[in-house]
Structure formats: C-alpha cells, structure tokens
Amino acid sequence: MIKVLEHGIRKITCPHCKAKLQYEQEDIREAIKTAILGEDEIYKFIICPDCENEIILTPIKKWVILID
C-alpha cells in the first residue's frame, strides 16, 4: 500500500557541487531566454544555496513570437 508521507517537498542533487537539496513550489523560479529570430525559451529552475548554480528542473520549452 502506498502512503503519502509529505506533500509538496521535492529532492534533487546539485549537478555542480553534489549538495543534496530539498525544495518546495515557492522555491521554483521561471525565466525566459531570448534567442535569435524570435524563438524564446521558457524554463523552471532553483538556485543551489551552496554554490549558487542554476539547476534546471524542466525541459526548456521553445515558443515563437510572431511579429506582423
């Protein structure tokens, strides 16, 4: 039988400094990387408190802005 132990807490290891981190939804940031030719990339990430490395949580989603 599966039991819920905690809601909303996720764990991850920083790929840069190997620190084991625990984070919640309010720790997640979202950013847009603007690329050439109007293709922007949206991604979610957290910042490692130890090495300040940006840890990407989701695959980068590309979307195109059409300019008339």
Side-chain angles (χ1 to χ4, degrees):
M1 175 197 276
I2 299 173
K3 295 181 181 179
V4 176
L5 300 178
E6 295 179 63
H7 282 283
I9 296 177
R10 298 176 181 108
K11 297 177 182 177
I12 194 168
T13 300
C14 177
H16 182 71
C17 71
K18 307 301 183 214
K20 293 184 181 183
L21 308 173
Q22 177 176 303
Y23 65 95
E24 295 182 23
Q25 186 65 34
E26 60 264 13
D27 300 316
I28 299 173
R29 301 178 186 185
E30 191 171 281
I32 298 173
K33 284 188 179 180
T34 302
I36 301 172
L37 302 175
E39 286 189 6
D40 291 341
E41 300 172 336
I42 302 173
Y43 64 100
K44 293 182 180 183
F45 65 96
I46 61 171
I47 301 293
C48 176
D50 195 32
C51 69
E52 298 183 6
N53 186 45
E54 194 175 274
I55 304 168
I56 298 175
L57 302 174
T58 59
I60 294 175
K61 297 177 186 175
K62 292 186 178 183
W63 54 296
V64 178
I65 298 173
L66 299 175
I67 300 173
D68 289 331

